[in-house]
Amino acid sequence: MRILHTGDWHFGKTLEGRSRLREQEDFVDELVRIANEQQADLIMMAGDVYDSVNPPAAAEQLFYEACARLTENGRPLVVISGNHDQPERVSSVSPLVARQGITLIGLPVAESITVGTSRTGEIAKIAALPYPSESRLNELLSAEGKEDELRRAYSARVGMLMGKLAREFTPKTVNLAMSHIYVLGGVESDSERPIQVGGAYTVDPSALSVGAQYTALGHLHRPQAVKGDGIIRYSGSPLAYSFSEAGQAKSVMMLDIAPGGVPLTEEVYLSSGRPLVRWKAKGGLEEVYHWLDEGRDTEAFIDLEVSLTESMSIGEIQRLRKSRDGFVHIRPIYPEMEQAEQQYERSGLPVSELFRRFYQRQSGGAVPEDELVQLFLELVEEDARVKEGDDE
């Protein structure tokens, strides 16, 4: 049986107000082509169909079109909801599409999903668990508990549910698992909404040791394998959705699996979607315009950091934006900012203390209020996420 694993489509997502719908449409075209060329017998979509619980109508239409096109030759499709999705919205059209071989799972179910392929006559059993939030599991975890205790309790609950779903696995079936979770050891990016408090809502790989030949995961946007029993993989998102994903190669997974056998896996790289790049122009605006003239990254969205000695005017910013529609962030860096950063690195003092000293120098000795210091720290944290990407 040949299986295509994808996830984290995030239909309806924008980039700082810029629509990505056309790129998502191109991805659907490419996914349909890959499924046909690779002769996929089954498609597994591991959650985050949409980017919000109330997606725009165009995003919903694109999802329905994708489902129809991927299954028009009788190929089954199994979709679970992710932490960005409203589960009932994902599964609401099930009565209309079930006869087309489309299975939409919004909330946790009691049984595994059974699908077959006419090409080989093989049967697959899928232990499919949509995003298991605390409320969806009807699990009450004390907010006062220690983080490691919360994690063990959450992980154990997920393991119990996966174990129940996997009870229908047999030696004569292709046995698969699928969920939308954050498994310990996975590498995150900036565009995944956190699904845990600290490290509490994370899952130990041992919770997925239920006898599946392959475990298809969603949530993390970087394609990657996770250490554990059997093959456990995140397919990643089809597009780069934040600048922390700049330079990542996007892909889907193709599997060749027989009952009782070890899967043969292939990462199929995607070409759709505009790349996200970071420019650091130490040579100032002259260097930026040189890059523009030579046609650097013409199709990309750009996060620009430009070193300057004088203030950048609104007119200069507008000129840059008119010269290339791909500019998303334009951040001027001045010598005093670089010096302050170097002093911070050398001093070893907390950022809050450095800010208090700076504020006192600038205000003639006045002491900043705690609320102002907290606001500054929040801005620093936000800037760090934009520049480097966060592990959520």
Side-chain angles (χ1 to χ4, degrees), residues 78 103 105 108-115 123-129 161-170 173-178 210:
V78 180
T103 303
I105 308 173
V109 294
E111 299 178 346
S112 63
I113 306 302
T114 301
V115 294
I123 302 296
K125 296 282 188 178
I126 308 174
L129 179 64
L161 290 173
M162 293 297 288
K164 287 183 177 180
L165 292 171
R167 287 183 300 188
E168 299 176 46
F169 287 173
T170 76
T173 55
V174 172
N175 300 321
L176 308 166
M178 177 166 62
V210 295

Side-chain angles (χ1 to χ4, degrees), residues 9-45:
W9 292 355
H10 289 274
F11 288 169
K13 188 172 180 63
T14 61
L15 179 65
E16 301 292 337
R18 294 162 175 79
S19 174
R20 310 296 299 276
L21 185 63
R22 178 58 185 272
E23 297 170 79
Q24 292 168 339
E25 291 171 347
D26 291 342
F27 158 66
V28 171
D29 291 341
E30 186 172 16
L31 185 67
V32 171
R33 177 180 58 79
I34 291 172
N36 292 335
E37 290 179 353
Q38 294 282 338
Q39 296 183 310
D41 298 307
L42 164 66
I43 297 175
M44 300 170 67
M45 195 286 175

Side-chain angles (χ1 to χ4, degrees), residues 24 36 85 129 159 172 193 288 313 332 355 357 367 385:
Q24 292 168 339
N36 292 335
D85 298 315
L129 179 64
K172 296 182 179 180
R193 183 177 301 156
V288 176
S313 69
F355 175 73
R357 295 184 181 188
V367 178
R385 286 199 299 269

Side-chain angles (χ1 to χ4, degrees), residues 194-239:
I195 61 174
Q196 73 279 352
V197 178
Y201 290 174
T202 57
V203 177
D204 191 278
S206 62
L208 302 177
S209 298
V210 295
Q213 296 166 263
Y214 180 89
T215 300
L217 296 179
H219 177 55
L220 300 186
H221 288 189
R222 180 192 298 270
Q224 59 192 286
V226 177
K227 291 183 179 180
D229 291 342
I231 299 177
I232 306 172
R233 282 199 66 98
Y234 287 95
S235 64
S237 61
L239 306 180

Side-chain angles (χ1 to χ4, degrees), residues 282-304:
K282 297 292 186 181
L285 290 174
E286 182 178 349
E287 184 172 26
V288 176
Y289 284 114
H290 174 70
W291 289 340
L292 291 172
D293 290 341
E294 70 180 15
R296 179 178 181 180
D297 299 321
T298 55
E299 299 300 320
F301 287 117
I302 303 167
D303 175 83
L304 171 63

Side-chain angles (χ1 to χ4, degrees), residues 340 352-364 376:
S352 58
E353 180 59 28
L354 290 172
F355 175 73
R356 286 189 173 93
R357 295 184 181 188
F358 171 80
Y359 186 90
Q360 287 179 294
R361 288 198 303 269
Q362 296 297 317
S363 62
F376 174 76

Side-chain angles (χ1 to χ4, degrees), residues 313-376:
S313 69
I314 296 297
E316 288 170 325
I317 293 175
Q318 291 175 340
R319 181 187 172 194
L320 273 179
R321 293 198 181 281
K322 288 180 180 179
S323 65
R324 181 77 66 81
D325 70 350
F327 283 114
V328 176
H329 302 130
I330 299 176
R331 291 195 306 279
I333 303 296
Y334 302 106
E336 56 268 25
M337 295 171 64
E338 294 179 339
Q339 292 171 6
E341 184 174 348
Q342 292 171 2
Q343 290 174 359
Y344 162 64
E345 292 175 351
R346 290 196 299 266
S347 71
L349 293 173
V351 176
S352 58
E353 180 59 28
L354 290 172
F355 175 73
R356 286 189 173 93
R357 295 184 181 188
F358 171 80
Y359 186 90
Q360 287 179 294
R361 288 198 303 269
Q362 296 297 317
S363 62
V367 178
E369 296 181 357
D370 290 342
E371 291 80 2
L372 181 60
V373 175
Q374 183 59 38
L375 177 60
F376 174 76

